[in-house]
Amino acid sequence: MQIANRLVGQGYIRANAMATAWKLVRYRALKAKVSGTSFDNCQNVLQLLCKYNPADITIKLVRDRLNAFDSNAIAVTAAVKGKVSAVIGYLPRAVACVIATLMDKGITVHADTLSIVGGMNEFENYGARILVKI
């Protein structure tokens, strides 16, 4: 119920908040669309990641307490085996408020299953979807 209440506080409709909280507790996983992929160098990074096999890409969640826009911010970083990692965006604010609380309590949170979407033509931005596992 606490998770659902946090989601409602971030703008979720109560029914959607309850369903999302239930999935997180029941399955210990949550699908999330990565936010902020159109800022900084994220579009170039996502374009480069499209060239690699998804099995070679590792995703990490990094707590960003000093973020000026959101004190619960969690950066999503991607790295190809043997290469440097780069930020591809952030968890959405509603998801980050729940996951940040868990990370602050010392609970290990992983991210898997990167899928890159978009970029089909020159006017369409890239995006990313991940699976957050607790």
Side-chain angles (χ1 to χ4, degrees):
M1 212 46 200
Q2 290 176 348
I3 294 172
N5 287 335
R6 280 184 173 269
L7 292 172
V8 168
Q10 292 296 319
Y12 268 60
I13 297 171
R14 171 92 37 206
N16 291 345
M18 290 297 291
T20 302
W22 174 249
K23 289 176 190 173
L24 186 60
V25 171
R26 173 85 165 113
Y27 301 113
R28 317 247 341 125
L30 180 68
K31 291 180 183 177
K33 180 182 170 190
V34 179
S35 299
T37 57
S38 61
F39 296 103
D40 297 330
N41 197 28
C42 296
Q43 287 294 301
N44 294 334
V45 172
L46 288 169
Q47 184 178 14
L48 289 172
L49 288 174
C50 286
K51 298 176 183 177
Y52 293 97
N53 183 0
D56 294 336
I57 300 172
T58 56
I59 306 297
K60 288 187 180 178
L61 300 176
V62 179
R63 185 77 167 84
D64 188 4
R65 288 181 183 86
L66 301 177
N67 189 298
F69 301 103
D70 186 8
S71 62
N72 292 320
I74 299 174
V76 179
T77 62
V80 178
K81 290 181 182 175
K83 307 230 183 217
V84 181
S85 66
V87 174
I88 60 170
Y90 290 84
L91 285 182
R93 187 176 292 229
V95 175
C97 78
V98 173
I99 301 299
T101 304
L102 297 174
M103 291 175 90
D104 290 345
K105 289 181 180 178
I107 298 172
T108 305
V109 180
H110 301 284
D112 273 342
T113 317
L114 173 72
S115 65
I116 299 172
V117 295
M120 298 299 175
N121 59 46
E122 64 180 300
F123 301 113
E124 188 174 330
N125 284 340
Y126 288 95
R129 295 189 176 120
I130 60 171
L131 181 66
V132 179
K133 295 181 181 179
I134 300 171

